[in-house]
Amino acid sequence: MHATPLIDRIDVPASTGRAVRVAAGQHVRIVDVEGSQVGDVFVVVPGADGSLEHHSASHTRGVTNRLFPAVGESFVTDRRRPVLTLVEDTSPGDHDMLIAACDPERYAALGAQVHRSCSQNLREALADVGIGFAGPAPQPINVFMRIPVDAKGDLSWLSARTAPGDAITFRAELDCVVVVSACPQDLIDVNGAGPTPLAIEIRAGEQS
């Protein structure tokens, strides 16, 4: 797929999150700037009545009949509407839809009483664009995260295999807000040597 025209690029510093408003038809490209960095991706669709529809990993698995995403497949919301479609992937292709976003309780269990988390990043990023979010964090699309499942159903937590500049691209099917968290996990070896930045590129859709 040829790269579509760049509209904006937003840096996501290590261990933080950023929210971007995306129009239906536009592309969202998430770039691993330095390599080996997991990104938690959340999608919300604000309603005129103040409600917040959101991407749902569990509903998506029910639609695709897959544990992990593949190019050409769509992600759906908790109302079962397609919200993003995976259109290109230049990474090794490891993306998780099983693991919940990290939160303060997760880090407390690992022995860190004070630690940034993807759940915190989600709420802060949405607040930055004027959206309040008080409920539990939806299960994210964990791009670049390597959690293979063996024949017995056991999970392994492995370091991301991405190289600098690897990217995954989604097409928005609805007007939505996409939040990307450069996961701050440094107590389990999923982010290589430690958290590093990501970048979000907003691009125009395919030209007819």
Side-chain angles (χ1 to χ4, degrees):
M1 186 184 75
H2 298 294
T4 54
L6 179 65
I7 297 172
D8 196 10
R9 180 180 169 104
I10 300 94
D11 294 326
V12 185
S15 300
T16 72
R18 296 290 184 271
V20 293
R21 293 186 182 273
V22 184
Q26 289 181 332
H27 287 181
V28 183
R29 186 170 184 259
I30 301 167
V31 184
D32 189 351
V33 177
E34 298 182 18
S36 299
Q37 174 61 44
V38 169
D40 282 35
V41 179
F42 306 90
V43 189
V44 299
V45 183
D49 59 356
S51 63
L52 275 184
E53 186 175 357
H54 61 79
H55 155 262
S56 170
S58 59
H59 289 79
T60 297
R61 292 193 300 268
V63 168
T64 63
N65 294 315
R66 292 175 52 87
L67 290 178
F68 307 117
V71 172
E73 294 181 345
S74 294
F75 302 84
V76 303
T77 71
D78 54 326
R79 299 181 189 174
R80 301 186 187 273
R81 295 199 297 166
V83 65
L84 294 181
T85 298
L86 176 52
V87 295
E88 186 178 36
D89 187 3
T90 66
S91 80
D94 305 312
H95 311 291
D96 169 71
M97 289 199 303
L98 299 175
I99 302 303
C102 58
D103 50 35
E105 293 77 14
R106 170 65 162 157
Y107 288 110
L110 293 172
Q113 298 303 316
V114 178
H115 201 289
R116 292 201 64 84
S117 69
C118 289
S119 297
Q120 176 187 359
N121 290 344
L122 168 66
R123 292 179 175 83
E124 291 178 356
L126 287 177
D128 286 343
V129 295
I131 298 174
F133 191 89
Q139 188 175 4
I141 308 165
N142 295 308
V143 298
F144 313 135
M145 190 172 187
R146 190 156 56 120
I147 307 289
V149 182
D150 69 16
K152 297 185 295 182
D154 293 332
L155 306 180
S156 296
W157 296 69
L158 305 179
S159 186
R161 296 190 295 170
T162 39
D166 281 352
I168 185 170
T169 305
F170 304 94
R171 182 181 63 243
E173 305 299 345
L174 301 169
D175 293 346
C176 60
V177 177
V178 176
V179 176
V180 177
S181 172
C183 181
Q185 179 61 264
D186 56 3
L187 303 178
I188 292 176
D189 186 20
V190 295
N191 287 318
T196 54
L198 297 173
I200 309 168
E201 293 180 354
I202 306 301
R203 292 181 170 271
E206 297 94 339
Q207 304 298 309
S208 58

